[in-house]
Amino acid sequence: PVTCRHDDLKEMLDSNKDSLKLEAMKRIVAMIARGKNASDLFPAVVKNVACKNIEVKKLVYVYLVRYAEEQQDLALLSISTFQRGLKDPNQLIRASALRVLSSIRVPIIVPIMMLAIKEAASDMSPYVRKTAAHAIPKLYSLDSDQKDQLIEVIEKLLADKTTLVAGSVVMAFEEVCPERIDLIHKNYRKLCNLLIDVEEWGQVVIINMLTRYARTQFLSPNQNESLLEENPEKAFYGSDEEDSKDDKPDAASLVKRKPYVMDPDHRLLLRNTKPLLQSRNAAVVMAVAQLYFHLAPKAEVGVIAKALVRLLRSHRSVQWVVLQNVATMSIKRRGMFEPYLKSFYIRSTDPTQIKILKLEVLTNLANETNISTILREFQTYIRSMDKDFVAATIQAIGRCATNIGKVRDTCLNGLVQLLSNRDELVVAESVVVIKKLLQMQPSQHSEIIKHMAKLTDNIQVPMARASILWLIGEYCEHVPKIAPDVLRKMSKSFTGEEDIVKLQVINLAAKLYLTNSKQSKLLTQYVLNLAKYDQNYDIRDRARFIRQLIVPTEKSGALNKYAKKLFLAQKPAPILESSFKDRDHFQLGSLSHLLNAKAVGYQELPDWPDEAPDPSVRNVEVPWLPTLRFSLSLSFPDPESVSESESESSSSSSESGSDSGSRGEESGDQSEEEEEEKKKKKKGKEGPRKVCPESAGRYHRHWRGEGAGSATSWELRNTSRDMGGLQPISPCLFLMPLTPSIFRRDQLITSQPQHVPTAFLPPSAQMLSPVFSTMKTYELLHRMAGEGLSVEYYFNRQPFPPDPHMVAVQIQFSNNTESEVKNLRVSEPKLVSGMRIQEFQEIGQSMVGIDTCPQLPGVNWAGSFSLWHVSSSTHSRQFYVSIQPPVGELMAPVFMSENEFKKEQSESAMLRSQPDPESCRRGELR
Amino acid sequence: MIHSLFLINSSGDIFLEKHWKSVVSRSVCDYFFEAQERATEAENVPPVIPTPHHYLLNVYRHKIFFVAVIQTEVPPLFVIEFLHRVVDTFQDYFGVCSEVVIKDNVVVVYEVLEEMLDNGFPLATESNILKELIKPPTILRTVVNTITGSTNVGDQLPTGQLSVVPWRRTGVKYTNNEAYFDVIEEIDAIIDKSGSTITAEIQGVIDACVKLTGMPDLTLSFMNPRLLDDVSFHPCVRFKRWESERILSFIPPDGNFRLLSYHVSAQNLVAIPVYVKQNISFRDSSSLGRFEITVGPKQTMGKTVEGVMVTSQMPKGVLNMSLTPSQGMHTFDPVTKLLSWDVGKINPQKLPNLKGTMSLQAGTSKPDENPTINLQFKIQQLAISGLKVNRLDMYGEKYKPFKGIKYMTKAGKFQVRT
């Protein structure tokens, strides 16, 4: 009947009706889903690969991918269809053709695949490029000889600026060439900046990769504290770094160290990943948490605790993974989770495996201050019905007792009480733990030992019996009367005991023979004789060994006199440790960490380098294609040197115009931002997560409509007029003419709903005057960098009367030095775009002391987000700075009726069919 | 990454398999069955099971094990979170996620799975995008498709895939424009014997059902946003607006989605709306034990506590219970030893009470442990943390939407120790 049914499917597939074909394919796919073999239908199915009906086609694809490997020759028949599909004008069809083509695991088509991938990697559609990235690992697993060529494609795709591609290509990178860390350098900053807009799964992959990258490129932020590592108890509290710096143990070794300054790129990574702790995706949160754990300065790691605790409310399987990671972290950084102690309390409804992990965390978190609360909690757990959990609790109590001396006696007493518990498992576990505890201070506890000796009558669990016997043997001097009696009883039941118990009986006998031979000589002989004929060879061996050792004969005896030393040597007490200790040598959040064993394909997390590799490898020539850049230069020459410095500054700034800007922005500005951030932290409040001006435009805020074409360069040569001695506050205006078309697009941005910060569009708004809360001031030149001169700017968001198309920028200069600064001049280097500044009113002035003079230039950014480089020169000094407006500052509040709006919107939709779709994703929307 | 997926029902049948790379024989699941046997209970099956050549990662939901097979290092949460997303997607598509539904819609399931992963790496997991690629089955559409021969599969790339708002499909149209928000808070608490709170936390979520035409841009503001201690957002929420103004500003996905989850920390005092008075005692000598519990309202802000349900796992030694409730129904299962009492509403004038005796196994001593009592309840029209939505505004579209906000408080993991 099976073949019959297949025949009828074949018939349906051969028919002319799409509906019949579809029905047949649906039934075939259902067979595949159930795991039934449908391979004999291959010839009939493959014929339909070019079917017009899209659903039939898709199902044929599903079938092909499943069986192509088994029927390689026939599968080749379909290849030409896909090759045609690769040229289709519809991007979905191009992408799915590539997807299927690359999923057909037939080695003979490797060259075709390679060609298709290379072509798709330069496709216009980012979706197709993403598919190309996905195809790379597929080809690699089919034929690893293609590695070099594939790396080229990866390199090309890594340079892609769309968020859609980023995650997939990093995935390909991880699978094909994770060792080629050098490919990341140039893309590092871009990846950091794109991160928030990448889809969630890509974020996980990128974050994990960047963690590894950062470990090879930056210095340990905790190197100063690493000296204190020997004292872990203290180390964590290093959240107040000042404290730990005071008690540096070895001043000499510190001298050698350079003061640690975090690489701005390192900071960039930490800053850009932090908001992702708020993600709804547990994998993303975990990825950020492990990044912070492995890369952040100790004082900053704490932020991840709250997010991890949040994940504990998720599904059981998520909890399970998170708790294992928390267990590892809580050993290294206990203080981090202490405030959340109660979140780890156990409910009777938790599954056992969750209970045991929570217990592990609670034990790790125990310290002198919270131990009493924790022990009280443990008392409840001991009465649980879940006996595995009770056993784990008893062990946990044992660990608390060894770690925290102050509660040792309390714990011991509690455990002794458990010895009278009705549940044998509980008693047995307690015995084992008590044994370990007693080893720490046996002399004080002979009462307990006596009590335990009595237990041998009742308790049957072998491990517990063995523990008791060992204890009695080891401390037989404390219980001289009972010990021989126990041996007597045990020798009676010897033959029926488990092996581990037998071994301990022999041990006990030997020890008693050495300390109290009078009472136990015969018993020992008896036991040894029993053991001699035991079935287990270990026990026979042990008996023979011990007999030779303790009973002197003529032949042996060399060791005899040392027997007492051998058996009754001081034995160190066992250390009860967490099984999660040192698991953090595996990257947290990884499968290997979870299994505590290296999984296939695990990439080792490298140690921090001793010397930081050259940070300049990450510098990128800013591609100025979509970005419109402005440069202005300010100069403050001495009155007498005006003419020279003018020419000097203009020449030097013109040559530096294009690349100095990028450098200035990357090195200078970032550290300033950092300082800014620090300032905010000092205030105790975290600064709002701003897309920092520099990152805002460079990578994901391009407005392609403004492409290179409209970017024409404009230049301003200003005649320097000495206005020294004039009043210090005078507005200085830059006016730029605009091409109307550019402005139009500017307007269009405003008209798109997703671009409009809603504050700008209240429903009833007729007005043009903006509503906003606070004015954010941006720093242009820090006073340290500017040798006393600091420059700040802000957007005053007022219409700029001379030209409504311009954005007004208020610039504030302040002179922080004692000396005078004269002749303020802003000079213009060559600019990228073709706009000119029509009018430039220049001021020369002298400033002494703290003196501010707001300047109000209007700048038109023409809808693009621009870097505005300002180079300013004082005497012989010249500063390069850049202004980059946040997106919102470039928008004008506009009132328009709905019809107008709709019209604009439809027009803009047309415009937006070409531009890069990534240009305006979430990041700026928030 | 993810090699294959097997769906296994509670009786151990593999009823669906899907492979994204070379086929992995289903015999790999034997390792899973072994682990399942060892764990005795479904929820104790370890989520990650190593085997000689593969790793099996599984989640258990709706009585189905979703077992993913992987071969190389991958963050386990990545796979687990993805599996949960698969379950959520099925639920979204078919209303429920069960073995029967999956079997009935096996082709759609297969098509959806095909789109969700490419070569084992997630491709499209937003349900709004998936629904454009593969339309969810409805009775009407099935009928239409059989007649006209049209398909469930879209032939254009979903615009969301490339747009600035990948979570929202375009061209949404409704005749009635509505936006509903449910603020649901759950109290997780452990109460000790004497009635004092050991730990209590509030977990809240705002679930939304938004059916609005076009591209609406919504803002939701709270009277007291500072209450929210820890939040996680749907990707549509603009993080910066929240950071700076504590306003939720977003372009919503179409349909049902979870806008926000939040946490009100244990530091703030949590109002506990009910109390339980219990007297459970076993005597050593007799084979009878006494059992009495009373449930009463505490800080309910004048609202009625309803849907009260008491469950308790009794010790093994309890053979049977003979109890009389003052209201509601109660059952005791002598095999699983699970007592449950469906109380219903609490009338403050006449407190619900359950009283009677337990018969214990003769000859054994009294159990060591006292049972813990788990409580479920609901309070309508109240967010116990005091969180209040201030207003909801819509920009970007002209029509007036119908807006609705509902509050509810529920018991989460609410446990009383005895």
Side-chain angles (χ1 to χ4, degrees), chain A residues 227-259:
Chain A
L227 290 169
L228 294 169
E229 209 85 306
E230 296 93 81
N231 190 356
E233 191 62 58
K234 236 177 172 169
F236 183 80
Y237 299 113
S239 40
D240 27 3
E241 272 165 87
E242 268 62 47
D243 284 5
S244 45
K245 267 174 200 146
D246 291 339
D247 47 42
K248 284 281 154 61
D250 188 359
S253 72
L254 283 177
V255 176
K256 277 181 268 166
R257 290 170 190 274
K258 277 181 254 159

Side-chain angles (χ1 to χ4, degrees), chain B residues 4-6 9 36 39 46 95 123 139 214 226 240 245 261 278 305 317 339 360 365 392 399 405 408 415-416:
Chain B
S4 305
L5 175 70
F6 294 98
N9 66 13
Q36 195 184 13
L123 190 63
I139 295 169
R226 302 276 153 199
K240 280 169 82 182
E245 301 164 61
S261 351
Q278 102 287 350
V305 184
L339 169 74
L360 305 175
S365 42
L392 175 74
Y399 55 82
I405 295 202
M408 176 146 75
Q415 209 158 73
V416 182

Side-chain angles (χ1 to χ4, degrees), chain B residues 298-313:
Chain B
K298 222 164 141 186
Q299 296 149 288
T300 61
M301 329 277 168
K303 301 277 200 292
T304 325
V305 184
E306 27 175 52
V308 181
M309 177 94 176
V310 177
T311 50
S312 181
Q313 178 74 49

Side-chain angles (χ1 to χ4, degrees), chain A residues 395-416:
Chain A
Q395 285 185 5
I397 294 174
R399 258 176 62 203
C400 290
T402 44
N403 297 341
I404 301 162
K406 158 180 118 169
V407 292
R408 197 166 297 152
D409 288 343
T410 331
C411 290
L412 202 51
N413 287 335
L415 290 171
V416 169

Side-chain angles (χ1 to χ4, degrees), chain A residues 650-915:
Chain A
S650 60
S651 65
S652 63
S653 51
S654 63
E655 82 191 44
S656 57
S658 59
D659 81 334
S660 76
S662 59
R663 214 181 317 126
E665 144 212 301
E666 266 145 20
S667 49
D669 280 14
Q670 239 157 34
S671 62
E672 280 164 24
E673 263 167 35
E674 223 172 285
E675 271 166 71
E676 230 174 46
E677 216 172 62
K678 274 184 206 153
K679 270 186 238 157
K680 279 178 206 148
K681 277 209 184 103
K682 269 181 208 153
K683 277 188 229 151
K685 227 177 78 180
E686 253 174 77
R689 195 189 69 93
K690 287 263 179 191
V691 175
C692 54
E694 133 233 346
S695 69
R698 207 140 45 96
Y699 294 115
H700 45 141
R701 327 273 130 161
H702 317 135
W703 188 250
R704 208 174 259 176
E706 262 68 55
S710 65
T712 35
S713 76
W714 46 287
E715 194 181 355
L716 175 104
R717 305 287 301 132
N718 46 311
T719 44
S720 138
R721 277 177 282 151
D722 191 354
M723 292 167 75
L726 281 186
Q727 39 100 308
I729 301 169
S730 67
C732 142
L733 309 176
F734 309 146
L735 295 185
M736 288 139 248
L738 330 134
T739 49
S741 70
I742 289 174
F743 176 60
R744 190 146 181 76
R745 279 175 211 157
D746 193 10
Q747 283 268 9
L748 283 174
I749 298 176
T750 341
S751 64
Q752 291 192 29
Q754 59 268 53
H755 287 274
V756 184
T758 38
F760 280 55
L761 266 189
S764 60
Q766 308 266 335
M767 44 88 235
L768 279 154
S769 77
V771 190
F772 44 85
S773 45
T774 48
M775 202 81 85
K776 166 145 172 117
T777 318
Y778 302 91
E779 193 163 60
L780 194 56
L781 188 63
H782 188 258
R783 85 185 139 78
M784 296 311 284
E787 295 177 357
L789 180 78
S790 66
V791 187
E792 288 181 325
Y793 67 96
Y794 60 91
F795 299 90
N796 68 359
R797 300 184 185 169
Q798 298 299 328
F800 185 63
D803 185 337
H805 298 163
M806 292 193 171
V807 176
V809 183
Q810 198 101 17
I811 302 184
Q812 279 185 353
F813 300 94
S814 27
N815 181 6
N816 301 302
T817 56
E818 297 294 296
S819 54
E820 233 180 30
V821 175
K822 275 186 178 175
N823 284 12
L824 238 174
R825 202 183 51 152
V826 180
S827 73
E828 205 72 23
K830 276 212 177 80
L831 294 169
V832 192
S833 88
M835 286 171 261
R836 272 164 289 110
I837 293 172
Q838 259 182 347
E839 184 190 320
F840 174 69
Q841 208 175 354
E842 188 227 41
I843 43 151
Q845 61 169 111
S846 61
M847 297 192 297
V848 184
I850 316 281
D851 199 353
T852 50
C853 49
Q855 307 281 311
L856 187 72
V859 179
N860 185 290
W861 265 279
S864 145
F865 315 100
S866 337
L867 301 174
W868 183 25
H869 300 289
V870 182
S871 62
S872 54
S873 51
T874 6
H875 311 285
S876 56
R877 303 289 303 165
Q878 196 169 28
F879 306 111
Y880 302 107
V881 272
S882 63
I883 290 179
Q884 185 162 33
V887 185
E889 304 290 357
L890 299 182
M891 293 175 192
V894 183
F895 172 79
M896 51 175 84
S897 72
E898 194 205 354
N899 288 339
E900 284 169 351
F901 175 78
K902 287 239 169 87
K903 209 176 108 228
E904 294 287 356
Q905 197 179 24
S906 61
E907 272 177 57
S908 75
M910 275 159 57
L911 268 172
R912 270 158 37 74
S913 54
Q914 296 110 340

Side-chain angles (χ1 to χ4, degrees), chain A residues 55-115:
Chain A
E55 193 167 11
V56 172
K57 192 151 64 176
K58 276 221 163 159
L59 294 175
V60 171
Y61 287 179
V62 168
Y63 182 92
L64 255 179
V65 173
R66 171 69 179 75
Y67 285 113
E69 215 168 0
E70 295 172 20
Q71 314 233 359
Q72 308 215 349
D73 292 343
L74 285 170
L76 294 179
L77 297 175
S78 62
I79 302 299
S80 63
T81 318
F82 298 124
Q83 283 178 305
R84 236 175 312 156
L86 290 170
K87 304 261 183 290
D88 199 280
N90 182 337
Q91 51 181 343
L92 184 63
I93 292 181
R94 286 204 302 281
S96 68
L98 179 62
R99 241 184 101 183
V100 182
L101 180 69
S102 57
S103 301
I104 294 176
R105 290 167 293 273
V106 177
I108 205 163
I109 62 163
V110 163
I112 299 176
M113 266 196 221
M114 193 69 212
L115 207 69

